[in-house]
Amino acid sequence: MSRIGTIARRTFLFGSAAIVGGVAFAGWYVTRPAANPLRPADGETAMNPFVLIGADGITLVAPRAEMGQGTQTTWAALLAEELDVDLADVTVIHGPPAQAYYNTAMMAEGLPNKGYDASEMAHNLGSVLGHAGKLLDLQVTGGSSAMKDGFERLRILGAATREALKEAAARRLDVDRVTLNTESGAVIAPDGTRIPYADLAADAVGIDPGEVMLRDPAEWRLLGKSQPRLDVPAKSTGTATFAIDMRLPDMRFAALRRAPHRGGMAGYDDRQAARMPGVERIVDVGDGIAVIATNTWLAQQAADAVQIDWAEAPAGPGTTEEMFAAIEAAFDGGANSTMRDQGDVETLPAGATEISAEYRTPFLAHATMEPMNATAWITPEGLRLWCGNQAPTFIRDACAAEAGLSPEQVEVNTTLMGGGFGRRGELDFSVYATRVAKAVPGTPVQLTWSREEDMTQDFYRPGTIARMRGAVLDGRPVLIDAAVSGPSVSRQALDRWTGFAPGGPDKVHVDGLFNQPYAVTNYRVRGYLADLDVPVGFWRSVGASHNGFYHESFVDELAHAAGADPLQFRMDATYDEWEPAWRVLEAVRDMSGWDSARPEGTGRGVAMVYSFGTPVAMVIEVADQDGAIRLTRAWIAADPGTALDPGIIEAQLTGAMVYGLSAAIGEEITFDGRVAQQRNFPDYEPLRTTQMPRVETRILQVQERLGGIGEVGTPPAAPALANALFDLTGERVRTLPLRKRFDFVI
């Protein structure tokens, strides 16, 4: 507690805020507070870039997007806990693009450690490295980092704001601050006098509160308990505003058609479309066309009526088979990374049993329920944008460049979003909206992608291949030698964001494979990068989404080769490596009754994957129903360190599992002539409600550090299901999706 108090005292400055560790990094520029971008309305006071105080209560300016994961509710609780206000008195809005809102947690993930094994010094270095995100204007929602970013930051803001308000009251009343208390948004004097925060806010700006202490978790009123989601009432009543709901005066609506093979456009004939009533303009966007009309449906119909002559497809692999041949060929080159290399994997221990296997996972689309869309409005003052997005500073800069404006002339309004999963971290949907709006300056235009356009113009999760070799001796794993090949997501995405593709080892590429908390004496993991220009991007849980399938499927094969129970095999291998991993396995063992007799005609599979700082164990039960597979039960245990909101954590674990099961069972993107063949949900089928197993979750708090939660339920889903199918049928499937080998009950 004293360490946190010291941090708060020496780095909190009103007008802005920074949370900085004790190690100097990149000089004073990194650690100095960023400018406050807020311009409060009359009757409001901006205490710092995150907190506005007015007569109607507290407004939290949250720079992390709300896409259904509950981020803004927990951020509000973090602030309210220390500020002594009720959660109902906090209104949350998304902040504008600004350096002050950089993500303090994402850059720390780049350190070359496994995460769970990081020393206190490495952890502190990561905390400081996180502030390098300021140099990149890294205002990004992703990497399951929102709570790690906000956990101390928001509580310190709340505590320092509270103490500054008390100091303002103390000066007004001519008393010592220590005699004052706070409760429900007011400072309370010893004689019972209550002064609302709103009456003190203007006087409190500029007051250095000195050392502030964060409350012990035993004193928490809000944190650690399930809170009502702030976004649910509006979403439940249909009054929530997503980007697709934006309506502005004299708005027009647009539809987009781009080259499905990404090869550009040779020409087009729009005579038929231009004659359709309500069609106002057809815009050449370079690699395709956009139709501007009086409503979205008409724009989509007219776009279909434009006869487009697409240019030839770019050279290179054009079919799925050719792409996977290139991925396979990358194994013949040098490894990009060897993130784990311990012991001797070249020599088989005497008496050990050796096995090997090759696994494959397909390209995948994000398939957000709300298709890509954005509203752009060119005005004499500049550009105004409305879109659901995960990277507002990058959106601002890319759209400014498209419009020929300075970033200061671009206003980005971040709305709620109907799914993100990494897709709304991209910039294209806003850039194209800006390009279309340039054709009709002065008129707001909402560009909505059709589902088909959305699916065929995605930045896909890459297809990958893993080659696994291992050995067991005396019932335990003694060797794991893993290699994975595929295109680099990080290099492509960072090049799109910043114009710079970093070299060096790609940690994201092998995430979920090199950093699993298993005690294996001889353990090597290598990553190979395939030189493919297929557009790929961050997809929920990124590398861990496919590497978790590889690692946990192979661990299951090792267990069977050892003649061991698959769950006990994992518990034995994690016991001395990292206790939280062992504990989540213990939890699903007990929850599922793993050691007890199972119903006839059922199978169970287990998987445990550590990702984004959190170990998650999962057991899935399947049953044979007249020759088809039904998912009957699922048990999930996770240890994020501190359960800030158990209800939200449970929802995220369950939802992420569904996302993983959808991909495992039925989702796949294939290519022919570089064109994605799956165009809508009938071709790319997510898990149906009738297929959903009954789920039980357990949240542990064993590990000391806070882990992520938004993505961590996805990686163990596919291997747990595949292992359950092996348990039921005896058939080991090493290539997804599973529907190619099994029929599933619908």
Side-chain angles (χ1 to χ4, degrees):
M1 296 297 291
S2 59
R3 182 183 67 85
I4 294 175
T6 301
I7 291 173
R9 176 178 55 79
R10 72 166 176 264
T11 65
F12 187 92
L13 298 173
F14 264 77
S16 53
I19 305 168
V20 185
V23 183
F25 180 83
W28 66 275
Y29 177 75
V30 172
T31 59
R32 70 173 183 173
N36 188 343
L38 300 182
R39 301 293 181 265
D42 291 342
E44 286 186 322
T45 300
M47 306 300 293
N48 50 69
F50 297 85
V51 181
L52 292 162
I53 297 180
D56 295 332
I58 308 297
T59 297
L60 168 62
V61 183
R64 304 295 159 254
E66 179 60 70
M67 46 189 161
Q69 79 278 44
T71 288
Q72 293 186 353
T73 297
T74 304
W75 267 49
L78 288 165
L79 179 72
E81 188 68 72
E82 294 290 345
L83 190 51
D84 270 342
V85 297
D86 297 329
L87 191 61
D89 293 329
V90 180
T91 299
V92 184
I93 61 174
H94 196 286
Q99 189 181 62
Y101 301 126
Y102 70 94
N103 190 316
T104 65
M106 291 196 76
M107 293 290 287
E109 296 296 322
L111 289 174
N113 57 54
K114 295 188 285 290
Y116 71 88
D117 66 339
S119 65
E120 189 65 24
M121 177 178 292
H123 180 68
N124 290 338
L125 177 60
S127 297
V128 176
L129 180 62
H131 292 278
K134 176 183 176 182
L135 302 174
L136 299 174
D137 287 346
L138 198 63
Q139 187 181 345
V140 172
T141 302
S144 294
S145 62
M147 291 308 110
K148 288 184 280 187
D149 173 38
F151 182 50
E152 286 190 1
R153 195 178 197 178
L154 269 293
R155 289 185 299 145
I156 290 172
L157 281 168
T161 302
R162 181 194 70 228
E163 292 304 309
L165 290 164
K166 287 169 63 179
E167 180 61 31
R171 295 177 185 181
R172 181 180 298 183
L173 299 172
D174 196 23
V175 299
D176 196 310
R177 192 207 311 179
V178 298
T179 67
L180 302 175
N181 293 310
T182 53
E183 181 182 72
S184 298
V187 176
I188 304 170
D191 63 0
T193 299
R194 296 175 61 91
I195 309 177
Y197 287 170
D199 293 347
L200 296 165
D203 294 338
V205 174
I207 291 178
D208 183 348
E211 182 171 339
V212 297
M213 302 297 293
L214 300 182
R215 292 189 170 130
D216 189 280
E219 302 173 0
W220 284 349
R221 301 172 297 115
L222 304 172
L223 299 174
K225 304 176 181 65
S226 296
Q227 301 297 331
R229 287 275 295 267
L230 299 181
D231 55 324
V232 164
K235 289 177 177 177
S236 300
T237 57
T239 58
T241 300
F242 294 81
I244 207 167
D245 298 319
M246 280 305 304
R247 295 295 181 268
L248 295 167
D250 300 318
M251 176 184 279
R252 294 299 182 264
F253 302 85
L256 183 69
R257 296 294 182 269
R258 295 167 59 200
H261 51 48
R262 321 275 177 140
M265 181 177 65
Y268 64 94
D269 181 349
D270 63 1
R271 287 173 293 178
Q272 180 181 348
R275 289 195 294 266
M276 296 173 67
V279 171
E280 299 190 353
R281 187 154 186 173
I282 296 169
V283 181
D284 183 340
V285 296
D287 59 349
I289 59 93
V291 175
I292 302 174
T294 53
N295 63 69
T296 297
W297 177 247
L298 174 59
Q300 298 290 351
Q301 295 298 105
D304 287 338
V306 178
Q307 298 178 24
I308 305 175
D309 180 17
W310 300 119
E312 290 186 8
T319 67
T320 307
E321 292 74 19
E322 291 170 343
M323 293 172 186
F324 270 91
I327 293 170
E328 191 168 23
F331 283 119
D332 297 330
N336 164 262
S337 69
T338 306
M339 296 295 297
R340 188 166 186 163
D341 192 5
Q342 58 197 58
D344 178 10
V345 298
E346 301 296 341
T347 304
L348 186 68
T353 299
E354 181 179 9
I355 66 168
S356 61
E358 182 174 289
Y359 302 86
R360 296 186 178 212
T361 55
F363 291 90
L364 293 175
H366 293 84
T368 61
M369 191 56 63
E370 179 191 12
M372 295 300 105
N373 71 93
T375 298
W377 189 0
I378 302 285
T379 70
E381 292 74 30
L383 168 66
R384 302 180 69 188
L385 282 168
W386 291 263
C387 57
N389 72 85
Q390 296 174 242
T393 50
F394 296 150
I395 290 278
R396 175 200 63 194
D397 293 350
C399 291
E402 173 64 35
L405 301 169
S406 69
E408 292 74 25
Q409 292 175 283
V410 178
E411 171 192 317
V412 178
N413 299 279
T414 300
T415 66
L416 296 172
M417 58 189 80
F421 314 126
R423 179 62 177 94
R424 284 187 161 89
E426 300 292 346
L427 316 177
D428 56 337
F429 56 96
S430 295
V431 170
Y432 276 99
T434 302
R435 191 172 300 173
V436 173
K438 285 162 51 180
V440 285
T443 300
V445 181
Q446 183 177 93
L447 177 64
T448 302
W449 296 31
S450 67
R451 177 61 61 191
E452 290 76 13
E453 195 74 19
D454 195 9
M455 292 284 286
T456 58
Q457 299 290 338
D458 203 350
F459 296 95
Y460 304 100
R461 189 191 79 169
T464 56
I465 301 173
R467 292 176 175 174
M468 310 290 291
R469 171 178 159 265
V472 292
L473 181 64
D474 298 329
R476 300 196 62 162
V478 293
L479 185 152
I480 293 179
D481 187 14
V484 61
S485 176
S488 172
V489 170
S490 297
R491 290 187 177 183
Q492 277 203 29
L494 289 173
D495 188 46
R496 289 193 294 269
W497 281 354
T498 67
F500 171 71
D506 188 337
K507 182 179 177 181
V508 172
H509 186 64
V510 292
D511 187 38
L513 194 59
F514 85 94
N515 53 352
Q516 295 312 291
Y518 286 91
V520 180
T521 304
N522 308 292
Y523 206 143
R524 180 175 67 180
V525 176
R526 290 170 293 174
Y528 294 81
L529 301 184
D531 185 16
L532 276 176
D533 63 354
V534 180
V536 296
F538 295 113
W539 188 95
R540 193 173 190 173
S541 74
V542 203
S545 69
H546 48 79
N547 290 330
F549 171 68
Y550 300 148
H551 192 276
E552 284 304 286
S553 293
F554 190 65
V555 168
D556 220 61
E557 296 203 47
L558 288 172
H560 285 283
D565 174 83
L567 199 154
Q568 188 61 50
F569 184 80
R570 288 170 169 82
M571 292 183 69
D572 291 342
T574 56
Y575 185 81
D576 291 326
E577 183 72 7
W578 196 46
E579 183 182 357
W582 186 89
R583 290 291 182 188
V584 294
L585 286 163
E586 178 190 46
V588 294
R589 181 197 66 186
D590 296 344
M591 293 161 64
S592 66
W594 179 272
D595 296 328
S596 61
R598 300 174 190 177
E600 186 177 351
T602 64
R604 288 182 181 174
V606 62
M608 188 281 298
V609 180
Y610 169 81
S611 63
F612 304 97
T614 298
V616 179
M618 187 178 297
V619 169
I620 290 180
E621 180 183 86
V622 296
D624 185 315
Q625 183 175 314
D626 300 324
I629 303 298
R630 177 174 291 283
L631 281 64
T632 53
R633 300 286 301 274
W635 296 269
I636 313 171
D639 183 357
T642 301
L644 296 175
D645 189 308
I648 287 176
I649 292 173
E650 179 180 3
Q652 286 305 296
L653 290 173
T654 303
M657 180 195 72
V658 170
Y659 203 69
L661 291 177
S662 296
I665 293 173
E667 296 180 349
E668 178 183 30
I669 292 292
T670 59
F671 296 92
D672 187 15
R674 297 179 64 94
V675 178
Q677 299 302 289
Q678 292 71 31
R679 297 169 53 81
N680 211 317
F681 288 121
D683 306 321
Y684 192 86
E685 189 170 349
L687 195 74
R688 295 175 179 235
T689 303
T690 54
Q691 296 176 301
M692 182 69 186
R694 187 152 53 97
V695 183
E696 181 181 346
T697 62
R698 185 172 297 176
I699 303 165
L700 308 182
Q701 300 182 75
V702 176
Q703 68 161 318
E704 295 180 359
R705 294 167 186 158
L706 187 70
I709 208 67
E711 300 169 84
V712 298
T714 294
L721 176 56
N723 295 338
L725 291 169
F726 175 79
D727 186 49
L728 176 65
T729 69
E731 183 175 1
R732 177 69 66 183
V733 178
R734 300 189 179 106
T735 298
L736 299 180
L738 296 166
R739 62 172 170 77
K740 291 186 173 182
R741 299 287 288 274
F742 299 101
D743 292 327
F744 288 86
V745 173
I746 296 176

